[in-house]
Amino acid sequence: MSSRQTKTDVILIGAGIMSATLGTLLKELAPEWEMTVFEKLYKAGEESSNEWNNAGTGHAALCELNYTVEKPDGSIDISKAIQINEQFQVSRQFWAYLVNSNLIRNPQDFIMPLPHMSLVQGENNVTFLKKRFEALSNNPLFEGMEFSEDSKKLQEWIPLIMDGRTSKEPIAATKIDSGTDVNFGALTRMLVDHLKSKNVKMKYKHQVEDLKRTSDGLWELKVRNDKGEVERHTAKFVFIGGGGGSLPLLQKTGIPESKNVGGFPVSGLFLVCNNPEVVEQHHAKVYGKAAVGAPPMSVPHLDTRYIDNKKSLLFGPFAGFSPKFLKTGSMFDLLDSVKPYNVLTMLAAGTKNIPLTKYLIQQLMLSKEQRIEELREFVPNAKSEDWDIIVAGQRVQVIKDTVKEGKGTLQFGTEVISAADGSIAALLGASPGASTAVNVMLEVMKKCFPQHFKEWEPKIIEMIPSYGVSLAENPDLFKEIHASTAFSLGLSKHVPSSDAANEERNIELETVTV
C-alpha cells in the first residue's frame, strides 16, 4: 500500500547540477509553480556533480583538443569549440545574475580564475597545435591565447612539467588566462539551498522506482522513502536528471523516444597530490592529447583544483570499467538496461568499439606504479609517494542509432531526450555536461514549455543578456559581458562597463528581440 499521494507542478529527479539549474531557472520564470526534488542519496550534488567526481574544468573549449578537429585538408574545424565556449558564457551570465541578485553569495566558493593550457609533444602534434592556435586566436572568444614552443617560456608557464624533462622531442603549449576552475559540487549545494528558501520540497533518501502516465496526462511516480514506504507522486512535468541513473528511469517511461537508446558505463580514477610543496609548483589546467583508441573523456590533464577553498592537484583520468551506472548503483545496471528494443543497438556498439573495449581492459590492469609512469610523461620528477589514487564519478555514454553513423553509435556528449508533448525530459551523457548546464536547461524549457517561452523571454534576457545572440559574431558585446561577469563572479577586480557600452548592448539586444 502507498503511504500517501501528492500532486505537484514539477518533479525533478536527482539533486545534481542539472536539476538544481533547471529548478532555479523555473523559480525565476514561474515562481508560483510547486516543485519537488527526489534524491536517492542523503544530500545534494553527491554523484556526477560532486567536486571529486567532476573535472571542474569550466569547459569553454580553451584547452580541450578534442573540440578542435583537423580536417582532411589540414585545416582546423573550430565550430564545436565556439559552440561550447558560447554555452559556457551562458552559464557565467546566469551565475553572475544570481550573485548580483543576492540569490547566491560568495562566488569564490565555486569559481576561481585559472589559466587553461594545451600541451603536446612531437612534430606533428606541435604543427597541429600551432594551426589550432591560429584558427582560435582570430576569434574574439579566444582572444588573449598565447602559443609557445620556447622551452624558457614553457618553464615560466609550467615549471613542474618542464623540470627534469630530458626528451629532445619538440614540445609546445597554448595558454589563456581567462579560464576558470569550477566546483560544481559547491555550486549545486548553493542552488539547492536557494531552492529550499523558495519552498521547493527537497526529498533526500527517496528513490524513484517507477514512472507511468495517468489517464489525465499526468506522470505518476512510485517513490520509496527513507522509511522504506512507497509513496505516489504525480506531476504535470518531470525532469529526469539522475546522472547515470537517468537511462533506467527513462526506459520505464515507455515513451517512443526512449527506444533504441542504450548506455555504456565508464568509470575513472585520478591521481591526487598529497604533497603541498608539489601542489604549489603548478597553477593551471593543462590538457594533453588522448591516446589512440581512448574516449575523449580520457584526455590526460594535470589540473589545479580548488576544493573546500584549498588548492589541490589532480592528474588523470585513468579509464576504468564497472557495470554500475552510478557510483552508488547496482552491479546489474548495465545488464538491466539491455531491452528487446535496444539489444541490436547495444550489440552494434560493441562491434564498432572493440578498440575502446581493449583500451578499457588495458587501463583496468594498470598498477599504481604504471599510472605514475604515465604521470611522469607530464611531470618527469613525480614521486610515487606524493600521489594517491581516488575514484572519480561514473559516466554513462549514450549509445543510439544515428542517420549519419548508423546503428549503435557511441555519443561522447550530453543528450536530452524528451517526450513529443514535452511532459517529461531526461538528460543523458557526460562532458561538457555541467559546464553547459544553463544552456542545456534553457533548451529543455524551450522544448517542454513552448506555450510559456515567449512570455519568459524578457526575463531570460535579463538573466542572460546575450540570449539569442552569437557572442563570436558580436565581439564588443562579448567583451562587455565577459568583463561584467568576471567582476560579478570575483574573477576580475576591474569594474567593467560604461553607459556607452550598456547603451550599445541594449541596442543589440533590441535588434535581436524585435
Side-chain angles (χ1 to χ4, degrees):
M1 275 293 286
S2 61
S3 57
R4 62 192 184 95
Q5 293 188 318
T6 64
K7 193 172 179 179
T8 189
D9 295 307
V10 173
I11 285 176
L12 307 174
I13 302 175
I17 188 64
M18 293 295 175
S19 291
T21 299
L22 179 57
T24 305
L25 282 164
L26 285 174
K27 269 294 161 191
E28 290 301 291
L29 298 167
E32 71 284 2
W33 288 6
E34 290 184 353
M35 203 179 298
T36 304
V37 181
F38 293 109
E39 168 57 55
K40 67 178 252 184
L41 299 179
Y42 64 100
K43 65 176 181 177
E46 281 301 291
E47 271 282 354
S48 300
S49 305
N50 184 273
E51 47 270 47
W52 290 106
N53 294 340
N54 184 302
T57 307
H59 284 282
L62 301 174
C63 56
E64 305 93 334
L65 298 174
N66 52 301
Y67 295 144
T68 46
V69 178
E70 189 165 10
K71 295 194 279 194
D73 66 0
S75 63
I76 307 296
D77 181 357
I78 64 168
S79 57
K80 189 169 185 183
I82 291 169
Q83 179 192 14
I84 287 171
N85 190 299
E86 292 250 20
Q87 291 177 358
F88 184 65
Q89 303 307 327
V90 169
S91 291
R92 273 179 60 133
Q93 289 171 72
F94 183 57
W95 301 336
Y97 163 80
L98 294 174
V99 171
N100 293 339
S101 307
N102 287 319
L103 300 178
I104 62 173
R105 292 178 174 79
N106 305 323
Q108 70 280 1
D109 289 347
F110 77 88
I111 189 167
M112 295 286 276
L114 193 70
H116 281 203
M117 297 181 62
S118 305
L119 177 73
V120 297
Q121 287 186 84
E123 199 172 322
N124 291 343
N125 287 336
V126 170
T127 302
F128 161 76
L129 189 65
K130 191 166 191 178
K131 285 195 290 187
R132 176 185 183 270
F133 162 72
E134 286 164 358
L136 289 176
S137 51
N138 286 328
N139 189 289
L141 301 178
F142 300 90
E143 192 179 325
M145 183 178 278
E146 300 174 74
F147 171 87
S148 183
E149 43 193 321
D150 174 42
S151 56
K152 284 183 182 167
K153 175 58 76 175
L154 297 181
Q155 179 70 36
E156 265 177 54
W157 288 353
I158 40 174
L160 188 66
I161 288 173
M162 294 304 290
D163 284 349
R165 189 166 290 277
T166 56
S167 170
K168 299 296 180 198
E169 262 198 309
I171 185 169
T174 55
K175 175 174 179 277
I176 185 163
D177 290 330
S178 59
T180 53
D181 175 61
V182 185
N183 181 330
F184 285 106
L187 176 59
T188 300
R189 293 187 288 273
M190 284 182 187
L191 295 178
V192 165
D193 285 345
H194 163 66
L195 289 175
K196 285 194 282 194
S197 76
K198 296 285 183 181
N199 299 317
V200 172
K201 297 181 184 74
M202 301 298 306
K203 301 286 187 180
Y204 296 116
K205 297 175 86 173
H206 279 60
Q207 177 139 9
V208 178
E209 294 185 343
D210 204 2
L211 306 90
K212 67 176 183 185
R213 202 75 189 262
T214 60
S215 56
D216 55 358
L218 300 176
W219 284 98
E220 183 182 86
L221 278 63
K222 176 187 172 188
V223 182
R224 193 165 297 279
N225 67 23
D226 50 350
K227 299 181 183 71
E229 301 160 341
V230 171
E231 301 175 0
R232 306 277 172 183
H233 299 266
T234 56
K236 298 171 192 169
F237 172 75
V238 175
F239 173 68
I240 306 173
S246 292
L247 178 61
L249 290 173
L250 174 65
Q251 291 176 330
K252 286 177 179 177
T253 66
I255 61 172
E257 294 81 2
S258 68
K259 312 299 182 191
N260 301 98
V261 176
F264 185 77
V266 179
S267 61
L269 300 171
F270 275 88
L271 289 168
V272 59
C273 186
N274 59 39
N275 184 336
E277 288 178 17
V278 176
V279 174
E280 280 307 311
Q281 291 173 52
H282 186 75
H283 187 74
K285 288 183 184 288
V286 182
Y287 272 55
K289 280 195 94 173
V292 176
M297 63 176 290
S298 295
V299 171
H301 46 100
L302 183 69
D303 285 6
T304 296
R305 297 289 315 274
Y306 290 93
I307 296 176
D308 300 328
N309 293 313
K310 181 184 165 193
K311 192 175 175 182
S312 307
L313 184 59
L314 279 78
F315 176 77
F318 298 94
F321 175 75
S322 160
K324 293 180 179 183
F325 278 6
L326 292 164
K327 279 179 88 168
T328 55
S330 158
M331 295 301 277
F332 296 102
D333 284 345
L334 178 57
L335 193 61
D336 288 345
S337 75
V338 180
K339 309 290 182 188
Y341 53 74
N342 72 358
V343 67
L344 292 177
T345 300
M346 296 291 281
L347 288 171
T351 56
K352 276 184 179 178
N353 291 283
I354 290 167
L356 172 61
T357 308
K358 188 179 169 189
Y359 169 79
L360 292 175
I361 292 167
Q362 288 169 341
Q363 288 273 296
L364 270 172
M365 295 175 73
L366 292 177
S367 64
K368 182 187 176 184
E369 198 46 50
Q370 286 170 315
R371 296 183 205 281
I372 295 290
E373 277 304 313
E374 287 199 26
L375 167 63
R376 286 188 185 123
E377 289 185 25
F378 261 67
V379 183
N381 292 336
K383 294 175 183 171
S384 187
E385 62 268 24
D386 290 341
W387 298 81
D388 299 314
I389 293 174
I390 59 164
V391 179
Q394 282 288 104
R395 301 284 184 266
V396 177
Q397 306 295 149
V398 178
I399 297 169
K400 68 176 190 178
D401 303 339
T402 65
V403 175
K404 189 179 174 186
E405 296 174 67
K407 214 159 188 64
T409 305
L410 201 57
Q411 306 290 305
F412 293 104
T414 307
E415 299 264 336
V416 175
I417 295 175
S418 54
D421 66 355
S423 62
I424 194 162
L427 186 101
L428 308 173
S431 188
S435 302
T436 59
V438 181
N439 187 80
V440 173
M441 292 302 104
L442 285 169
E443 289 301 311
V444 166
M445 293 194 308
K446 198 171 187 178
K447 200 180 279 187
C448 296
F449 304 109
Q451 71 278 30
H452 297 290
F453 212 76
K454 203 72 192 160
E455 70 187 78
W456 288 347
E457 269 193 343
K459 180 67 178 179
I460 290 171
I461 290 168
E462 181 194 331
M463 298 189 292
I464 298 148
S466 76
Y467 183 74
V469 183
S470 164
L471 289 173
E473 291 168 15
N474 291 273
D476 291 342
L477 180 63
F478 169 67
K479 279 181 188 168
E480 163 70 11
I481 283 174
H482 200 263
S484 65
T485 56
F487 181 71
S488 298
L489 296 171
L491 305 173
S492 156
K493 293 181 173 59
H494 302 296
V495 179
S497 175
S498 65
D499 291 341
N502 282 329
E503 187 63 33
E504 184 183 340
R505 176 172 64 183
N506 291 336
I507 290 166
E508 291 206 40
L509 290 171
E510 281 168 21
T511 306
V512 169
T513 52
V514 165

